[in-house]
Amino acid sequence: MGFRSCDEKRKVQFESSEPADFRVGEDGVVYAARSFQLSTDPTEFIIYAQDKETQQQWQVVVKLSIKPTFAEHSEKDQKKIEEIVFPRQQYKPSSHLQRQKRDWVIPPINLPENSRGPFPQELVRIRSDRDKSLSLRYSVTGPGADQPPTGIFIINPISGQLSVTKPLDREQIASFHLRAHAVDVNGNQVENPIDIVINVIDMNDNRPEFLHQVWNGTVPEGSKPGTYVMTVTAIDADDPNALNGMLRYRILSQAPSTPSPNMFTINNETGDIITVAAGLDREKVQQYTLIIQATDMEGNPTYGLSNTATAVITVTDVNDNPPEFTAMTFYGEVPENRVDVIVANLTVTDKDQPHTPAWNAMYRMTGGDPTGRFTILTDPNSNDGLVTVVKPIDFETNRMFVLTVAAENQVPLAKGIQHPPQSTATVSITVIDVNESPYFVPNPKLIRQEEGLLAGNMLTTFTAQDPDRYMQQTALRYSKLSDPANWLKIDPVSGQITTIAVLDRESQYVENNMYNATFLASDNGIPPMSGTGTLQIYLLDINDNAPQVHPQEATTCETLQPNATNITATDRDIDPNAGPFAFELPETPPSIKRNWTIIRISGDHAQLSLRIRFLEAGIYDVPIIITDSGNPPKSSTSILKVKVCQCDINGDCTDVDRIVGAGLGTGAIIAILLCIIILLILVLMFVVWMKRRDKERQAKQLLIDPEDDVRDNILKYDEEGGGEEDQDYDLSQLQQPDTIEPDAIKPVGIRRLDERPIHAEPQYPVRSAAPHPGDIGDFINEGLKAADNDPTAPPYDSLLVFDYEGSGSTAGSLSSLNSSSSGGEQDYDYLNDWGPRFKKLADMYGGGDD
C-alpha cells in the first residue's frame, strides 16, 4: 500500500509507529522491514505524515490482515472489482448531441511488476449505462493491447472486464496508455472513448551495477585528510525516485592496511572517495586497493540488493626526498689540452620515483673553477653527474683542480620537508702532463725585403718554443715544410733562414707583393710532436723589368689620313719603377724615322702614325724605344708589327686577304697544322681498318675453303671419265658393306671426325628397287627424320656419310647421265619445292630447254 500528497508540490515526510516492523519510503509506499508471521487478527500501526515546510502533521491508522485465497473469495473479489463507467452524455430536446463541458478524469491503475498471477488477472470492468437498452461490445486499443507489445491487456467484449495476461516489467515499460471503446452490434460508436493509464509499480528486482568494475584514481603522497581522490558511480535499473533505486556506497576493505586500515572514506550518496588519515608515503606504499559496495533500498543491508567494484588508488610522487651524493669526495684525471672529456662521474641517490622531475638531478659548480673550464651534464638514464672538460687545460699552469659541486632536483622540495634542498660534494681533478707541440713566436712572422736578393744571403732567424718545461727533451729541430718557389733554406738547429735563389717580386708565387713559406719545428718527446710556423716576406720592388709595347701588332692605311695607331707601354714593375713612360723611334735604320713618327699622348700611351703621304701595302716591323721612370731608368726596344693596307673612305682595309697571305699569324699557322694532323690520323685509321678487314677475310677462307666446303653446295666433278668400264673401281665394297674392315681393326687416329661411331645401326628407310621420281622427296624427308633422331649422327652442318645404300640397286652408271638420254623427258620442276638445298639442281634440270 502507499500514501501520497494531494498537492504533488509538497514535500511530505512519512514515519511509522512501528519502525522495526514497517517503514515508509519517501514516495509513501509502506514496506515490511522484516519477515514475520501475521496472526489471523488484524495488525494495526500508525503512519505519520509531516509537511517539511509548514510542519503540518497528519496520521492514519493502518490495519493489516491476511489476504484470503483466490478460490475461496473469487465471487467476492469479482464483486469488488472496480468499475469504470463511461461518462453520461447530455441531450437537448431536439435530440442533437451536445458536447459535454468536462470529461471525467479516471485515476490511473497501479499494477505491480513481476506479479505471479494467476493470469489472466482482472483489473477493472468497463461498462456503459446504455448497456441496459442496447447490446454493446467493448474493446481497448493502444500499446499493450492491439499495438506492440500486443496481447498484454485483453478485454471481454461482452462484460467489459479488462485483464492483464502476463507479468509486467517496469524497467521495460513503466506505464501503458490505453483507450476503451463501446460500440453497438453494428459497430456504431455509442460512447466517446475514454483513456486508461496503467502504471507499473516498481519492485526491487535489479541489483546496482557499477559503470566500471575497476576504478583507477591517484592521490599525491603526503596529502592532508579530506583530499579528494576519485568518484565511483553505480546505477540501478529500478525506479530512482523510489527506495528500490536509491543507492548507498561504503568501503568494504582496504589493502594494504598500512599505515592505517582506514586511510580513505566514501560519501555514501555521491560515491566520492576522500582521504581521512595522514601518512600517505609513496616510498612505503605505492598503491591501495579498495572494495566498494553499492546497495539499494538506501543501503538497507536486510532488504537492499548490493554489488561491488574495485577502486585502485595510486599514490603519486612528490619531491619529498632531495638527491644525496654517495660520497663526499670524487676523484678524476684529465690529460692537458683535451676537451669534451668526462673526467669524473658523480653518483647520487634519490628515493623519489625515477625519471620524474622530483628524481632528476641538476648539478652545478659552486667553487673551484673561476675560468669555466668544466661543466657538469646529467646522464638521463643513471642520473649521474658527468664532469666534462670544455676548455683546454695547461699542465704547466694548473696541475690540479678542486671543485665544489651541488645537486638538486628539477622541482623544489614539497612544503614541510625537513631535509636540505641540495647535497654538496668535492671533486678533485688531476691534470696529466703530455708532450705538447712546439709553437713559433711570432706566428706568422713578417719581414720586408727588396727583391733581387741573391742566393746565400741570410734573411732572418725563425725559432719556436717548447711548452713542456717539465720534460727532459733535447733542442728542437727545424725543417722546411712549404717553399713554393724553392728560394729558402733553414738551419735545423738554429732556425736561421738563408736564400738559395734570387728573390723576384714578379714571380707567379708572389701575391700582392707577399711570399709565404712554412717551416716545421719538431721535438723528440714520446710521442714526437711538431708545430708549424709561417714566414711572410714582403718583397719591395726594384726596377728590374723593362717596359714592353702592347699590342705587338697593328693595322694602318697606306695613305697619310687616317693612319694613327694607339699603343700602350706595360711594365711588370710597380710605381715608381713604371710609368710615366718615354716613347721614341731609333736612329737606325733611317727608314724608320723617315716613314714613321710617334707622339706621346699620356704617361702610358702613345700614337704611331705615317710621316710620308703614301707607304706601299705590306707588313713592317717598327722598333720603338720605351723608357720607364725608375732610378736608374730602364728602357727596351719593342718591335711593333704594322700591317699597311689599302683603305676605303671609312678607313677600313680592303686588301686584307693579300696582306694576310703575305704573312700568316701564329694562331692561323697552329690551326692549319692541327687540321693536317687530324686528317692524317683519320687516313691512318682507315688504312688500318681496311687491312684488318682483309686479314679477317683471309682467315675465313683458310678455315673453310669454298672448294672443300660441301655444305649446301653441289659437288663439281671436272672429269667424268669414260664410264665404269674404263675405270678400275672396286664396287664390291659398296655392294657388300658387311665385308668392310671393322672399326676395331683400324689404327688409332685414322677415323675421320665425321665418321659414324660404333652403335647399333639406325633404322634408315630402304629405297625401293624401282623408285618413282615423285617418291624421291618422301625418301629424303624420311631419311632426314631418321638422321635427326639418330644419336650416332654427326654434328650439324657436317657431311653425312651413308655407309650402306642397300643391295640389288638397279641404278645405272653415272656416265649414262647426259643431255641426250631419256632424262630430257623427265619433269624436274618438283625440285623447286624442296627448298634451298636443291636450288642448284632445280636450276640445272628444271629450267626447260635452257
Side-chain angles (χ1 to χ4, degrees):
M1 63 178 295
F3 298 90
R4 65 184 180 88
S5 173
C6 298
D7 186 358
E8 297 294 340
K9 297 182 180 180
R10 283 190 175 186
K11 295 182 179 180
V12 180
Q13 182 179 358
F14 300 95
E15 291 184 1
S16 171
S17 61
E18 302 292 337
D21 297 332
F22 305 97
R23 63 182 182 84
V24 185
E26 294 182 358
D27 56 350
V29 179
V30 181
Y31 298 92
R34 62 182 180 85
S35 300
F36 52 85
Q37 293 287 338
L38 292 177
S39 62
T40 56
D41 298 331
T43 301
E44 296 184 0
F45 59 94
I46 302 175
I47 300 298
Y48 301 96
Q50 182 178 6
D51 192 321
K52 292 183 179 181
E53 296 180 356
T54 62
Q55 303 299 322
Q56 184 178 0
Q57 296 184 354
W58 302 270
Q59 66 180 25
V60 63
V61 177
V62 178
K63 293 183 178 180
L64 187 63
S65 60
I66 300 175
K67 182 178 179 180
T69 60
F70 182 81
E72 295 177 356
H73 300 277
S74 59
E75 294 181 359
K76 296 180 180 180
D77 291 344
Q78 187 75 14
K79 294 179 182 179
K80 292 180 181 180
I81 293 176
E82 183 180 359
E83 288 186 355
I84 298 178
V85 182
F86 284 92
R88 181 184 298 273
Q89 297 178 350
Q90 301 293 333
Y91 295 91
K92 288 185 178 182
S94 60
S95 72
H96 292 291
L97 182 64
Q98 182 181 9
R99 182 180 64 88
Q100 61 185 16
K101 294 182 179 180
R102 186 168 180 259
D103 289 339
W104 290 356
V105 177
I106 300 175
I109 302 173
N110 295 325
L111 185 62
E113 66 172 336
N114 303 325
S115 175
R116 297 184 179 180
F119 296 103
Q121 180 181 350
E122 297 179 351
L123 300 179
V124 294
R125 179 176 298 170
I126 300 172
R127 73 177 187 84
S128 172
D129 54 2
R130 302 183 62 183
D131 59 355
K132 297 179 181 180
S133 59
L134 296 174
S135 176
L136 303 181
R137 296 293 183 270
Y138 300 97
S139 63
V140 290
T141 59
D146 62 340
Q147 298 178 19
T150 59
I152 296 179
F153 299 98
I154 59 176
I155 188 172
N156 190 316
I158 304 299
S159 64
Q161 181 68 45
L162 179 64
S163 305
V164 60
T165 61
K166 60 182 180 180
L168 304 181
D169 188 356
R170 191 204 67 84
E171 285 70 41
Q172 293 183 356
I173 302 177
S175 62
F176 295 88
H177 296 268
L178 305 179
R179 173 163 288 192
H181 305 270
V183 296
D184 57 14
V185 293
N186 296 323
N188 298 319
Q189 178 177 320
V190 178
E191 302 283 358
N192 289 331
I194 58 174
D195 293 329
I196 302 175
V197 178
I198 301 175
N199 293 327
V200 182
I201 304 302
D202 183 42
M203 304 294 290
N204 192 17
D205 57 345
N206 291 280
R207 292 181 178 274
E209 296 290 341
F210 282 91
L211 296 181
H212 305 286
Q213 193 59 36
V214 178
W215 297 78
N216 294 293
T218 59
V219 60
E221 64 174 333
S223 297
K224 296 180 179 180
T227 302
Y228 171 81
V229 180
M230 60 189 300
T231 300
V232 297
T233 304
I235 57 175
D236 196 318
D238 293 327
D239 188 359
N241 299 320
L243 290 177
N244 298 333
M246 295 183 180
L247 307 181
R248 296 296 182 265
Y249 303 93
R250 70 189 185 102
I251 298 176
L252 297 181
S253 64
Q254 169 192 307
S257 59
T258 57
S260 171
N262 298 313
M263 295 295 294
F264 305 92
T265 186
I266 188 170
N267 186 308
N268 64 346
E269 293 185 1
T270 62
D272 294 341
I273 299 177
I274 59 175
T275 60
V276 293
L280 291 174
D281 190 352
R282 191 203 65 85
E283 286 73 33
K284 295 180 179 179
V285 179
Q286 299 182 1
Q287 193 177 82
Y288 289 91
T289 302
L290 308 180
I291 303 301
I292 309 298
Q293 184 186 59
T295 307
D296 58 14
M297 299 293 292
E298 291 187 329
N300 189 308
T302 304
Y303 301 102
L305 302 177
S306 62
N307 211 337
T308 60
T310 302
V312 179
I313 301 175
T314 302
V315 182
T316 59
D317 186 38
V318 298
N319 192 13
D320 56 346
N321 294 281
E324 297 181 1
F325 283 103
T326 58
M328 295 300 297
T329 304
F330 297 88
Y331 299 92
E333 58 183 19
V334 58
E336 63 174 332
N337 299 323
R338 295 283 299 276
V339 294
D340 297 331
V341 177
I342 299 175
V343 297
N345 276 24
L346 310 181
T347 56
V348 296
T349 59
D350 196 320
K351 297 180 181 179
D352 292 322
Q353 185 174 359
H355 306 291
T356 62
W359 178 82
N360 296 335
M362 298 187 305
Y363 300 88
R364 58 187 178 90
M365 281 178 289
T366 59
D369 185 23
T371 57
R373 298 183 181 275
F374 300 93
T375 187
I376 305 179
L377 305 176
T378 302
D379 188 327
N381 296 321
S382 63
N383 213 26
D384 292 347
L386 309 178
V387 182
T388 308
V389 181
V390 294
K391 293 182 180 180
I393 304 174
D394 188 7
F395 174 82
E396 286 72 24
T397 304
N398 300 98
R399 298 187 182 185
M400 179 175 286
F401 290 87
V402 178
L403 309 178
T404 303
V405 297
E408 57 187 1
N409 294 124
Q410 290 181 350
V411 294
L413 288 176
K415 295 181 179 180
I417 303 301
Q418 302 300 325
H419 300 287
Q422 64 182 14
S423 177
T424 59
T426 301
V427 183
S428 178
I429 300 175
T430 302
V431 182
I432 302 174
D433 188 17
V434 297
N435 188 21
E436 300 177 77
S437 300
Y439 59 93
F440 286 85
V441 180
N443 190 18
K445 184 176 183 179
L446 176 64
I447 63 173
R448 300 170 68 88
Q449 177 64 47
E450 282 188 355
E451 65 172 330
L453 184 64
L454 300 178
N457 289 289
M458 195 265 293
L459 276 179
T460 185
T461 299
F462 197 20
T463 58
Q465 298 179 6
D466 193 343
D468 299 312
R469 300 193 301 269
Y470 302 98
M471 287 188 176
Q472 299 297 329
Q473 297 182 152
T474 59
L476 301 176
R477 304 287 293 182
Y478 301 96
S479 60
K480 186 171 63 174
L481 186 62
S482 173
D483 182 13
N486 198 24
W487 289 344
L488 310 172
K489 71 175 181 178
I490 187 170
D491 187 271
V493 178
S494 64
Q496 183 176 331
I497 299 176
T498 57
T499 61
I500 58 175
V502 179
L503 303 184
D504 185 9
R505 191 198 66 84
E506 289 75 31
S507 171
Q508 61 178 339
Y509 302 107
V510 178
E511 184 176 356
N512 297 327
N513 303 326
M514 192 74 70
Y515 180 75
N516 294 324
T518 305
F519 298 92
L520 187 70
S522 305
D523 62 17
N524 61 344
I526 302 175
M529 301 298 292
S530 61
T532 60
T534 301
L535 178 64
Q536 294 180 334
I537 305 174
Y538 186 86
L539 294 174
L540 303 176
D541 185 41
I542 63 174
N543 195 13
D544 58 344
N545 292 280
Q548 299 291 329
V549 68
H550 181 80
Q552 297 180 355
E553 295 180 358
T555 303
T556 186
C557 298
E558 60 184 2
T559 60
L560 185 63
Q561 295 294 336
N563 63 351
T565 300
N566 293 328
I567 60 176
T568 303
T570 60
D571 197 330
R572 298 180 64 190
D573 294 325
I574 60 175
D575 189 68
N577 298 317
F581 299 96
F583 301 89
E584 61 179 335
L585 298 176
E587 298 294 338
T588 58
S591 60
I592 298 301
K593 281 193 173 184
R594 184 175 61 249
N595 297 335
W596 305 92
T597 180
I598 189 167
I599 301 173
R600 177 183 170 186
I601 59 177
S602 66
D604 297 337
H605 305 282
Q607 195 173 72
L608 179 69
S609 60
L610 286 175
R611 180 184 292 273
I612 59 179
R613 293 181 177 276
F614 176 80
L615 182 63
E616 185 179 356
I619 298 176
Y620 298 87
D621 292 336
V622 180
I624 301 175
I625 301 173
I626 306 175
T627 305
D628 59 21
S629 300
N631 186 20
K634 203 172 187 65
S635 64
S636 66
T637 301
S638 299
I639 303 300
L640 178 64
K641 190 180 292 295
V642 181
K643 300 176 183 178
V644 181
C645 62
Q646 296 179 1
C647 297
D648 55 15
I649 59 175
N650 297 324
D652 298 328
C653 290
T654 58
D655 56 350
V656 176
D657 296 337
R658 178 171 59 83
I659 297 175
V660 172
L664 293 175
T666 305
I669 296 174
I670 294 175
I672 292 174
L673 291 177
L674 288 176
C675 292
I676 294 174
I677 293 173
I678 294 174
L679 183 60
L680 291 175
I681 292 174
L682 292 177
V683 172
L684 181 61
M685 292 177 62
F686 179 75
V687 171
V688 172
W689 178 75
M690 290 296 295
K691 289 185 176 181
R692 181 176 297 178
R693 184 178 179 186
D694 292 340
K695 289 182 179 180
E696 291 179 355
R697 289 181 176 177
Q698 293 176 5
K700 291 182 178 179
Q701 291 177 358
L702 292 175
L703 292 176
I704 303 176
D705 191 273
E707 298 295 334
D708 297 334
D709 187 12
V710 297
R711 294 176 298 175
D712 301 336
N713 290 286
I714 301 299
L715 293 179
K716 180 181 179 181
Y717 297 94
D718 295 334
E719 182 180 358
E720 295 182 356
E724 295 180 359
E725 291 76 13
D726 58 346
Q727 299 292 337
D728 188 14
Y729 292 123
D730 185 7
L731 300 180
S732 62
Q733 301 296 327
L734 296 176
Q735 300 294 333
Q736 300 178 1
D738 295 336
T739 62
I740 297 176
E741 182 181 3
D743 294 337
I745 303 175
K746 292 182 180 181
V748 178
I750 298 179
R751 179 184 298 274
R752 287 166 46 190
L753 295 177
D754 58 347
E755 188 175 353
R756 186 180 68 176
I758 301 175
H759 287 285
E761 181 158 326
Q763 298 298 322
Y764 285 94
V766 179
R767 192 173 61 183
S768 60
H772 188 273
D775 298 333
I776 295 177
D778 297 335
F779 172 79
I780 293 176
N781 290 331
E782 293 176 3
L784 179 61
K785 291 182 180 179
D788 291 338
N789 298 323
D790 186 6
T792 64
Y796 294 107
D797 298 333
S798 63
L799 181 62
L800 184 61
V801 180
F802 293 92
D803 292 339
Y804 178 52
E805 293 184 352
S807 60
S809 176
T810 59
S813 174
L814 293 176
S815 61
S816 62
L817 296 177
N818 53 67
S819 59
S820 61
S821 64
S822 61
E825 300 176 0
Q826 180 67 38
D827 183 14
Y828 293 98
D829 291 337
Y830 58 86
L831 294 175
N832 294 319
D833 300 330
W834 290 3
R837 295 177 180 269
F838 297 91
K839 185 175 184 303
K840 192 67 175 179
L841 289 175
D843 294 337
M844 294 174 59
Y845 295 97
D849 297 336
D850 295 336

